[in-house]
PDB file of all heavy atoms in Angstrom:
ATOM      1  N   GLN A   1      10.682   4.077  -1.089  1.00 57.00           N
ATOM      2  CA  GLN A   1      11.691   4.097  -2.082  1.00 57.00           C
ATOM      3  C   GLN A   1      11.852   2.677  -2.410  1.00 57.00           C
ATOM      4  O   GLN A   1      12.206   2.463  -3.726  1.00 57.00           O
ATOM      5  CB  GLN A   1      12.964   4.720  -1.484  1.00 57.00           C
ATOM      6  CG  GLN A   1      12.811   6.211  -1.413  1.00 57.00           C
ATOM      7  CD  GLN A   1      14.099   6.790  -0.708  1.00 57.00           C
ATOM      8  OE1 GLN A   1      14.856   6.160   0.097  1.00 57.00           O
ATOM      9  NE2 GLN A   1      14.272   7.984  -0.852  1.00 57.00           N
ATOM     10  N   ILE A   3       9.719   0.110  -2.534  1.00 58.00           N
ATOM     11  CA  ILE A   3       8.619  -0.246  -3.354  1.00 58.00           C
ATOM     12  C   ILE A   3       8.790   0.360  -4.749  1.00 58.00           C
ATOM     13  O   ILE A   3       8.578  -0.265  -5.778  1.00 58.00           O
ATOM     14  CB  ILE A   3       7.231   0.136  -2.825  1.00 58.00           C
ATOM     15  CG1 ILE A   3       6.980  -0.538  -1.490  1.00 58.00           C
ATOM     16  CG2 ILE A   3       6.066  -0.122  -3.792  1.00 58.00           C
ATOM     17  CD1 ILE A   3       6.751  -2.067  -1.617  1.00 58.00           C
ATOM     18  N   GLN A   4       9.175   1.599  -4.819  1.00 58.00           N
ATOM     19  CA  GLN A   4       9.370   2.205  -6.108  1.00 58.00           C
ATOM     20  C   GLN A   4      10.457   1.601  -6.854  1.00 58.00           C
ATOM     21  O   GLN A   4      10.380   1.368  -8.173  1.00 58.00           O
ATOM     22  CB  GLN A   4       9.557   3.801  -5.924  1.00 58.00           C
ATOM     23  CG  GLN A   4       8.356   4.463  -5.431  1.00 58.00           C
ATOM     24  CD  GLN A   4       8.600   5.943  -5.230  1.00 58.00           C
ATOM     25  OE1 GLN A   4       9.676   6.352  -4.992  1.00 58.00           O
ATOM     26  NE2 GLN A   4       7.531   6.759  -5.160  1.00 58.00           N
ATOM     27  N   ALA A   5      11.603   1.272  -6.265  1.00 58.00           N
ATOM     28  CA  ALA A   5      12.627   0.497  -6.878  1.00 58.00           C
ATOM     29  C   ALA A   5      12.279  -0.760  -7.490  1.00 58.00           C
ATOM     30  O   ALA A   5      12.630  -1.116  -8.505  1.00 58.00           O
ATOM     31  CB  ALA A   5      13.824   0.368  -5.895  1.00 58.00           C
ATOM     32  N   ILE A   6      11.327  -1.497  -6.661  1.00 58.00           N
ATOM     33  CA  ILE A   6      10.880  -2.752  -7.152  1.00 58.00           C
ATOM     34  C   ILE A   6       9.967  -2.663  -8.256  1.00 58.00           C
ATOM     35  O   ILE A   6       9.932  -3.391  -9.274  1.00 58.00           O
ATOM     36  CB  ILE A   6      10.214  -3.611  -5.992  1.00 58.00           C
ATOM     37  CG1 ILE A   6      11.297  -4.025  -4.962  1.00 58.00           C
ATOM     38  CG2 ILE A   6       9.416  -4.767  -6.473  1.00 58.00           C
ATOM     39  CD1 ILE A   6      10.643  -4.492  -3.706  1.00 58.00           C
ATOM     40  N   ASN A   7       8.987  -1.744  -8.181  1.00 55.00           N
ATOM     41  CA  ASN A   7       7.919  -1.722  -9.178  1.00 55.00           C
ATOM     42  C   ASN A   7       8.260  -0.826 -10.352  1.00 55.00           C
ATOM     43  O   ASN A   7       7.576  -0.930 -11.418  1.00 55.00           O
ATOM     44  CB  ASN A   7       6.570  -1.280  -8.537  1.00 55.00           C
ATOM     45  CG  ASN A   7       6.627   0.164  -8.099  1.00 55.00           C
ATOM     46  OD1 ASN A   7       7.210   1.075  -8.691  1.00 55.00           O
ATOM     47  ND2 ASN A   7       5.910   0.476  -6.961  1.00 55.00           N
ATOM     48  N   GLY A   8       9.176   0.009 -10.300  1.00 60.00           N
ATOM     49  CA  GLY A   8       9.564   0.829 -11.452  1.00 60.00           C
ATOM     50  C   GLY A   8       8.594   2.041 -11.649  1.00 60.00           C
ATOM     51  O   GLY A   8       8.762   2.813 -12.732  1.00 60.00           O
ATOM     52  N   TYR A   9       7.616   2.170 -10.869  1.00 57.00           N
ATOM     53  CA  TYR A   9       6.575   3.285 -11.023  1.00 57.00           C
ATOM     54  C   TYR A   9       7.024   4.396 -10.098  1.00 57.00           C
ATOM     55  O   TYR A   9       6.556   4.640  -8.997  1.00 57.00           O
ATOM     56  CB  TYR A   9       5.222   2.741 -10.611  1.00 57.00           C
ATOM     57  CG  TYR A   9       4.604   1.812 -11.567  1.00 57.00           C
ATOM     58  CD1 TYR A   9       4.567   0.500 -11.251  1.00 57.00           C
ATOM     59  CD2 TYR A   9       3.867   2.247 -12.766  1.00 57.00           C
ATOM     60  CE1 TYR A   9       3.998  -0.439 -12.207  1.00 57.00           C
ATOM     61  CE2 TYR A   9       3.304   1.306 -13.577  1.00 57.00           C
ATOM     62  CZ  TYR A   9       3.404  -0.077 -13.310  1.00 57.00           C
ATOM     63  OH  TYR A   9       2.847  -0.940 -14.149  1.00 57.00           O
ATOM     64  N   THR A  10       7.976   5.193 -10.570  1.00 61.00           N
ATOM     65  CA  THR A  10       8.508   6.164  -9.647  1.00 61.00           C
ATOM     66  C   THR A  10       7.608   7.375  -9.523  1.00 61.00           C
ATOM     67  O   THR A  10       7.743   8.192  -8.638  1.00 61.00           O
ATOM     68  CB  THR A  10       9.872   6.770 -10.338  1.00 61.00           C
ATOM     69  OG1 THR A  10       9.671   7.175 -11.629  1.00 61.00           O
ATOM     70  CG2 THR A  10      10.998   5.686 -10.171  1.00 61.00           C
ATOM     71  N   ASN A  11       6.524   7.432 -10.307  1.00 74.00           N
ATOM     72  CA  ASN A  11       5.595   8.464 -10.231  1.00 74.00           C
ATOM     73  C   ASN A  11       4.438   8.247  -9.240  1.00 74.00           C
ATOM     74  O   ASN A  11       3.565   8.991  -9.065  1.00 74.00           O
ATOM     75  CB  ASN A  11       5.043   8.894 -11.652  1.00 74.00           C
ATOM     76  CG  ASN A  11       4.345   7.762 -12.237  1.00 74.00           C
ATOM     77  OD1 ASN A  11       4.586   6.662 -12.078  1.00 74.00           O
ATOM     78  ND2 ASN A  11       3.415   8.054 -13.123  1.00 74.00           N
ATOM     79  N   MET A  12       4.517   6.973  -8.654  1.00 74.00           N
ATOM     80  CA  MET A  12       3.434   6.681  -7.638  1.00 74.00           C
ATOM     81  C   MET A  12       4.121   6.365  -6.315  1.00 74.00           C
ATOM     82  O   MET A  12       5.279   6.033  -6.209  1.00 74.00           O
ATOM     83  CB  MET A  12       2.897   5.300  -8.053  1.00 74.00           C
ATOM     84  CG  MET A  12       1.951   5.191  -9.225  1.00 74.00           C
ATOM     85  SD  MET A  12       1.257   3.486  -9.265  1.00 74.00           S
ATOM     86  CE  MET A  12       0.218   3.720 -10.691  1.00 74.00           C
ATOM     87  N   THR A  13       3.326   6.757  -5.369  1.00 77.00           N
ATOM     88  CA  THR A  13       3.824   6.389  -3.933  1.00 77.00           C
ATOM     89  C   THR A  13       3.619   4.980  -3.716  1.00 77.00           C
ATOM     90  O   THR A  13       2.888   4.223  -4.423  1.00 77.00           O
ATOM     91  CB  THR A  13       3.003   7.254  -2.839  1.00 77.00           C
ATOM     92  OG1 THR A  13       1.627   6.639  -2.824  1.00 77.00           O
ATOM     93  CG2 THR A  13       2.968   8.751  -3.126  1.00 77.00           C
ATOM     94  N   ALA A  14       4.296   4.425  -2.624  1.00 74.00           N
ATOM     95  CA  ALA A  14       4.204   2.960  -2.323  1.00 74.00           C
ATOM     96  C   ALA A  14       2.695   2.639  -2.066  1.00 74.00           C
ATOM     97  O   ALA A  14       2.173   1.673  -2.510  1.00 74.00           O
ATOM     98  CB  ALA A  14       4.965   2.710  -1.171  1.00 74.00           C
ATOM     99  N   GLU A  16       0.017   4.228  -3.260  1.00 83.00           N
ATOM    100  CA  GLU A  16      -0.876   4.280  -4.629  1.00 83.00           C
ATOM    101  C   GLU A  16      -0.486   2.925  -5.320  1.00 83.00           C
ATOM    102  O   GLU A  16      -1.518   2.494  -5.889  1.00 83.00           O
ATOM    103  CB  GLU A  16      -0.425   5.508  -5.384  1.00 83.00           C
ATOM    104  CG  GLU A  16      -0.819   6.854  -4.824  1.00 83.00           C
ATOM    105  CD  GLU A  16      -0.272   8.045  -5.474  1.00 83.00           C
ATOM    106  OE1 GLU A  16       0.846   7.869  -6.047  1.00 83.00           O
ATOM    107  OE2 GLU A  16      -0.992   9.074  -5.469  1.00 83.00           O
ATOM    108  N   PHE A  17       0.742   2.570  -5.322  1.00 77.00           N
ATOM    109  CA  PHE A  17       1.114   1.300  -6.140  1.00 77.00           C
ATOM    110  C   PHE A  17       0.333   0.190  -5.529  1.00 77.00           C
ATOM    111  O   PHE A  17      -0.280  -0.669  -6.141  1.00 77.00           O
ATOM    112  CB  PHE A  17       2.577   1.149  -6.178  1.00 77.00           C
ATOM    113  CG  PHE A  17       2.918  -0.124  -6.903  1.00 77.00           C
ATOM    114  CD1 PHE A  17       2.894  -0.281  -8.240  1.00 77.00           C
ATOM    115  CD2 PHE A  17       3.265  -1.244  -6.138  1.00 77.00           C
ATOM    116  CE1 PHE A  17       3.225  -1.484  -8.866  1.00 77.00           C
ATOM    117  CE2 PHE A  17       3.666  -2.411  -6.753  1.00 77.00           C
ATOM    118  CZ  PHE A  17       3.596  -2.581  -8.075  1.00 77.00           C
TER     119      PHE A  17
END
Side-chain angles (χ1 to χ4, degrees):
Q1 289 175 340
I3 294 293
Q4 290 174 340
I6 290 170
N7 68 36
Y9 293 99
T10 55
N11 61 334
M12 286 186 180
T13 67
E16 290 170 334
F17 177 76

